[in-house]
Structure formats: structure tokens, C-alpha cells
């Protein structure tokens, strides 16, 4: 089989596909965001309702993603859809922005969070250099797994996802067990000024859940490696969405039952450890939570290293990115160079100082990308080769609603620093234009020779 005809192997079953989605979406982010949501909501009931509604807003988006994924179950997600919709330029810009602002730095950040979680057991990891060395080793080990086998990576994701859900299930179980005698039924005054409308409170609250829910589309980066994708992709996306929405609603309820409300609000800006407030195990709370966060970060990191390099691979196969990213290993049928290069760049980011500075434009580029994805369906539905096995109910309304939701999230999110985020995203888009014309020119010259 020649390099040009070589194709990825469809090796991921429904369980592995679902585990990748759940493992990507559910992380320790909910324990960071719950105190912030509680601060905005003012009451436990409203706080839990906000987490539920944050999931409801994803339902139309998942319907559209399931339809697009079943229509074109190939590598590359949004790049592939936008290219098919008739805009190689937008397809390139989407991938360019995601590669720089999202995918590569996210591997760096998650690996460092995994290292910081273990400082409870190994204080030496509080030293920046040792933390970076440890994080680099973790990235290298997971990269080696995904270099050799997509199936092994998928199986590991199932194990790590079950492991990360176990401590979350304990919070839910104890929360339901203590519901009548916990802190959930206590009365609390809203922390807001009183001038806010209920709509305004819910909108601001939902904006705090965005990152905890983000990541459902990542499985479509590697749709070309899912078995029977026209059946499994819609099932995995819709099933995982409902699971995550139920899990987040129950976890937030459990935390509100276990943790006194005033103390919960006081923890905003930090990770809340609910195990400290559980009497029988509070003396072991630090170690339990450290292990839980570490496992959660490994699950998210494994999913990121697995899925993300497939986007650049798809673009490189079309001649619109560096040729090395298009390499498919002849034996393992994995985008080996794309995986290795992205992980190497992620390790390189360790030495660029304060990584958090890279995240200022995350949300704008994320929302911009979502709008392009949902907008592509209006053009794709006119194509003769558009034959999805799953069709969204009321697709036109769902797609329109999905775009409106992105604008709604902007309204709730960007009152703090709109200018910096907009300028950063615009700068990235402008930087991507000459890069696109360079690669497009290279491809045109190759086609004419």
C-alpha cells in the first residue's frame, strides 16, 4: 500500500469511543467551577439548575455534531466540514487557531496539572523544573502508546475513565444519602447586588460551566478510526452528552449537600475538595483528592494526545500543512509524526514561562470555531455526497440555535476582558492568512508539475 493510499484503521468500538468523549469532557474542572457558579447563583437549587441548563444548551449542538459526524466520518472534524462546504481558507484558519491556542497548549497545561496534583505525596514536584520534567515524562509515555496503537489507547481510556468517575460517584452517593440533613436545604441570601434579573444570573452562571462541558467534538477529530461510525458516532455523542449532563447535575448537588454554602463560595478561584467535609474520611481527604485529580488529568491528557493530532494530519493530507504531519505509520496506521510533533511542541511550551498567558484567547477562538462548524451544515446539506445516517430533528432550527447559543455565551463571558481576547484572536487569524496562501501556493505548484 503506497503512502497516498494508506488509510487509518477503524479500531475504536462504541465503548472506547464513548470513553474518549467522557474522558475529554469530565475533568477536575467541575471542582474549580462549582464555587464560582455557587457565588453567582446565591442558592444551592439555582446553582444546580444552572449546571443542568449548561448541559441543555449542548443538546442542539450535539444533534448537529452527530449529523455532521455521520455524514463525513473521516479524520479532521471541522477542517473536513469547512473544506467540503467550499472554503479551504476557513478550514485552514480554524485548524491554525485551534492548533496554536487550544490543542498544543492544552497538553502542556493538563500535564502540569497532573504533576501539581502529586505534590501532596511528592513535595519535590513543587519545584518548577522537577514538575516540568515529570510532566514531560508523562507526555512521552502516553505519546508512545498512541504512536503504536489506537486500540491500546482506546482501551486505556476506558480504564482511566472508570477510575476517574469512581470518586465522583462517591460524592454523588453521599450527597443523595445526606440530602435531607445536609447543607442543601439551608436558606442563603444571594451574593449578588439584587439588581440582577434571574435571567442575568442564570446567563452569567451558565458561562462558568462552558469549559466543564467543552470537548464533545474532539472525538470527530479521529472519526476515521471509529468502527461502524454511522451507527457508533451518533450513539456515542448523544449518549455521552446525556451522561455528562446527568453527572454534572448530580455532582454539583452532592457538593452542595456536603459543603457548607459559605465555605463553598469562599473557595472560588481554587479547587474545592469535598472530601474534607466528609467526617469518616476527612483525615484522608488530601490523598484521596490528589489521586482523583491526578487520574482525572491523565484521562484528559490521554484523550488529548490521542485525538488532537488527527486534525493537523487531515489538513496535511490535503497539502495545506507541513508534509510531515501527513505521515501515516505503515505498520501501526497511526498519524505517527503528527502525534510526536504535537507532543514535542507541548513539552517545548514548558520553557516559555507562564503558560497561563497562552490562555487569554481560548474562549473567543473556541466560540468562533463552534460558529463555523454549526454554520457549515447550511452549505453541506446542499451537497450530493451529504448522506448522514443520523439526521438532527428540526435541523435548521437546531443549527441556528447552536449559533445563537455561542453568541449568548459571549454575552455571558466577555464582560471582563473583551478587548484583549478579541485582539489576540484577530492577531492569530491575520497570522494564519499568509501561512494559508503559502501552503495553497505550494500545493498548486505541485499539482501543475
Amino acid at each position: 500500500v503506497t503512502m497516498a493510499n494508506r488509510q487509518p484503521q477503524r479500531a475504536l468500538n462504541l465503548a472506547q469511543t464513548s470513553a474518549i468523549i467522557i474522558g475529554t469532557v469530565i475533568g477536575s474542572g467541575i471542582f474549580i467551577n462549582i464555587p464560582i457558579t455557587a457565588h453567582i447563583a446565591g442558592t444551592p437549587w439555582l446553582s444546580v439548575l444552572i449546571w443542568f441548563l449548561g448541559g441543555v444548551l449542548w443538546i442542539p449542538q450535539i444533534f448537529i455534531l452527530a449529523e455532521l459526524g455521520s455524514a463525513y466520518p473521516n479524520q479532521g472534524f471541522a477542517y473536513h466540514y469547512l473544506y467540503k462546504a467550499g472554503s479551504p481558507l476557513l478550514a485552514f484558519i480554524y485548524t491554525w487557531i485551534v492548533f496554536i491556542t487550544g490543542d498544543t497548549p492544552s497538553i502542556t497545561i493538563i500535564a502540569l496539572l497532573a504533576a501539581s496534583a502529586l505534590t501532596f505525596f511528592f513535595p519535590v514536584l513543587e519545584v518548577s523544573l522537577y514538575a516540568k520534567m515529570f510532566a514531560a515524562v508523562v507526555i512521552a509515555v502516553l505519546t508512545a502508546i498512541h504512536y503504536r496503537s489506537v486500540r491500546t489507547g482506546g482501551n486505556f481510556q476506558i480504564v482511566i475513565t472508570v477510575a476517574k468517575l469512581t470518586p465522583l460517584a462517591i460524592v454523588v452517593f453521599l450527597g443523595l444519602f445526606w440530602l435531607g440533613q445536609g447543607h442543601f436545604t439551608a436558606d442563603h441570601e444571594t451574593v449578588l447586588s439584587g439588581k440582577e434579573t434571574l435571567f442575568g444570573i442564570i446567563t452569567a452562571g451558565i458561562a462558568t460551566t462552558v469549559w466543564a462541558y467543552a470537548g464533545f467534538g474532539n472525538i470527530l477529530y479521529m472519526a476515521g478510526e471509529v468502527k461502524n461510525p454511522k451507527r457508533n458516532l451518533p450513539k456515542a455523542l448523544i449518549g455521552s452528552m446525556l451522561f455528562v449532563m446527568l453527572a454534572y447535575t448530580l455532582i454539583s448537588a452532592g457538593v452542595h449537600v456536603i459543603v457548607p454554602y459559605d465555605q463553598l463560595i469562599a473557595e472560588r478561584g481554587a479547587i474545592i475538595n469535598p472530601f474534607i467535609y466528609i467526617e469518616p474520611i476527612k483525615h484522608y481527604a488530601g490523598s484521596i483528592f490528589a489521586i482523583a485529580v491526578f487520574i482525572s488529568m491523565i484521562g484528559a491528557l490521554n484523550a488529548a494526545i490521542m485525538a488532537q493530532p488527527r486534525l493537523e494530519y487531515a489538513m496535511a493530507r490535503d497539502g495545506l500543512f507541513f508534509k510531515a504531519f501527513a505521515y501515516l505509520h505503515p505498520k501501526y496506521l497511526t498519524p505517527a509524526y503528527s502525534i510526536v510533533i504535537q507532543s514535542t511542541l507541548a513539552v517545548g511550551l514548558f520553557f516559555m514561562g507562564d503558560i497561563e498567558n497562552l490562555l487569554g484567547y481560548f474562549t473567543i477562538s473556541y466560540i468562533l470555531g463552534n460558529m463555523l462548524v454549526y454554520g457549515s451544515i447550511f452549505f453541506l446539506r446542499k451537497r450530493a455526497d451529504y448522506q448522514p445516517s443520523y439526521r438532527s430533528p428540526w435541523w435548521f432550527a437546531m443549527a441556528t440555535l447552536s449559533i445563537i447559543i455561542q453568541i449568548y455565551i459571549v454575552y455571558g463571558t466577555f464582560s471582563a476582558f473583551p478587548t484583549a481576547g478579541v485582539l489576540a484572536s484577530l492577531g492569530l487569524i491575520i497570522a494564519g492568512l499568509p501561512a494559508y496562501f503559502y501552503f495553497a501556493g505550494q500545493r498548486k505548484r505541485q499539482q501543475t508539475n
Side-chain angles (χ1 to χ4, degrees):
V1 180
T2 64
M3 176 66 186
N5 295 327
R6 206 178 293 156
Q7 294 295 325
Q9 182 182 8
R10 293 199 177 274
L12 298 172
N13 60 29
L14 179 60
Q16 293 165 329
T17 304
S18 300
I20 292 167
I21 299 171
I22 293 168
T24 302
V25 177
I26 296 182
S28 63
I30 186 166
F31 290 120
I32 297 171
N33 291 331
I34 281 178
I36 301 171
T37 310
H39 173 70
I40 291 169
T43 72
W45 283 108
L46 186 55
S47 181
V48 173
L49 176 63
I50 284 169
W51 279 98
F52 175 75
L53 293 176
V56 170
L57 288 190
W58 268 97
I59 292 173
Q61 300 176 70
I62 292 297
F63 285 160
I64 298 301
L65 291 178
E67 178 171 326
L68 291 171
S70 73
Y72 299 117
N74 306 306
Q75 306 293 75
F77 181 43
Y79 165 77
H80 190 67
Y81 307 153
L82 292 164
Y83 194 96
K84 283 269 190 185
S87 182
L89 172 60
L90 286 179
F92 177 89
I93 292 296
Y94 173 89
T95 309
W96 173 267
I97 293 173
V98 167
F99 181 59
I100 293 173
T101 71
D103 289 355
T104 308
S106 71
I107 293 173
T108 309
I109 300 296
I110 295 167
L112 286 174
L113 286 172
S116 70
L118 292 185
T119 56
F120 183 87
F121 301 106
F122 308 105
V124 69
L125 290 177
E126 291 178 3
V127 178
S128 178
L129 178 61
Y130 293 133
K132 290 174 180 177
M133 290 170 61
F134 177 82
V137 170
V138 172
I139 289 174
V141 170
L142 294 177
T143 299
I145 291 173
H146 294 298
Y147 181 95
R148 291 179 60 88
S149 172
V150 67
R151 185 179 286 111
T152 302
N155 286 335
F156 179 68
Q157 188 65 40
I158 291 176
V159 173
I160 206 75
T161 299
V162 171
K164 75 191 290 186
L165 291 177
T166 302
L168 300 178
I170 292 171
V171 172
V172 171
F173 174 77
L174 291 176
L176 294 175
F177 185 72
W178 289 338
L179 185 60
Q181 54 194 16
H183 303 284
F184 202 87
T185 54
D187 292 325
H188 302 278
E189 292 184 11
T190 178
V191 296
L192 297 175
S193 63
K195 297 177 183 176
E196 291 278 359
T197 63
L198 182 62
F199 177 80
I201 293 171
I202 290 174
T203 301
I206 286 174
T208 69
T209 72
V210 169
W211 287 114
Y213 274 107
F216 286 103
N218 282 25
I219 188 61
L220 299 175
Y221 283 21
M222 55 190 310
E225 289 158 283
V226 175
K227 290 180 179 177
N228 195 359
K230 286 183 172 289
R231 179 179 69 90
N232 286 339
L233 278 174
K235 277 189 173 183
L237 279 164
I238 295 170
S240 297
M241 167 67 241
L242 295 174
F243 177 85
V244 171
M245 184 168 69
L246 177 64
Y248 279 173
T249 304
L250 291 176
I251 291 166
S252 62
V255 170
H256 278 290
V257 170
I258 294 167
V259 183
Y261 202 78
D262 294 340
Q263 293 178 43
L264 182 62
I265 292 171
E267 290 294 327
R268 66 184 185 278
I271 297 178
I272 183 69
N273 181 353
F275 298 103
I276 292 173
Y277 301 91
I278 301 172
E279 191 64 37
I281 60 171
K282 69 178 183 181
H283 299 299
Y284 309 101
S287 55
I288 293 172
F289 199 65
I291 294 170
V293 172
F294 176 74
I295 291 173
S296 184
M297 290 299 101
I298 293 297
L301 186 62
N302 186 66
I305 292 174
M306 188 178 196
Q308 290 170 179
R310 270 69 180 181
L311 188 60
E312 293 75 41
Y313 161 78
M315 189 159 75
R317 292 279 283 197
D318 286 339
L320 287 176
F321 207 52
F322 297 106
K323 191 181 293 184
F325 285 85
Y327 176 80
L328 200 69
H329 196 284
K331 179 180 178 182
Y332 306 131
L333 297 178
T334 59
Y337 290 176
S338 186
I339 293 170
V340 170
I341 292 169
Q342 187 160 59
S343 291
T344 304
L345 289 173
V347 171
L349 288 177
F350 289 146
F351 306 100
M352 290 184 63
D354 187 2
I355 298 300
E356 280 74 14
N357 290 333
L358 298 170
L359 302 179
Y361 38 69
F362 245 38
T363 310
I364 283 183
S365 61
Y366 175 72
I367 290 170
L368 174 66
N370 283 349
M371 291 176 76
L372 289 173
V373 172
Y374 305 136
S376 69
I377 195 171
F378 296 106
F379 300 90
L380 292 172
R381 273 198 164 232
K382 298 174 184 177
R383 290 179 59 93
D385 67 350
Y386 187 81
Q387 297 175 343
S389 58
Y390 171 85
R391 289 187 178 268
S392 169
W394 310 293
W395 76 271
F396 191 93
M398 290 296 175
T400 304
L401 187 58
S402 295
I403 294 171
I404 292 171
I405 286 168
Q406 306 313 304
I407 299 168
Y408 172 72
I409 293 169
V410 171
Y411 165 71
T413 306
F414 290 118
S415 56
F417 43 86
T419 310
V422 169
L423 290 178
S425 286
L426 288 176
L428 279 169
I429 293 168
I430 292 167
L433 290 173
Y436 168 76
F437 290 118
Y438 167 77
F439 287 115
Q442 288 275 85
R443 184 174 70 166
K444 191 172 182 181
R445 283 190 289 275
Q446 289 175 357
Q447 290 173 344
T448 54
N449 289 339

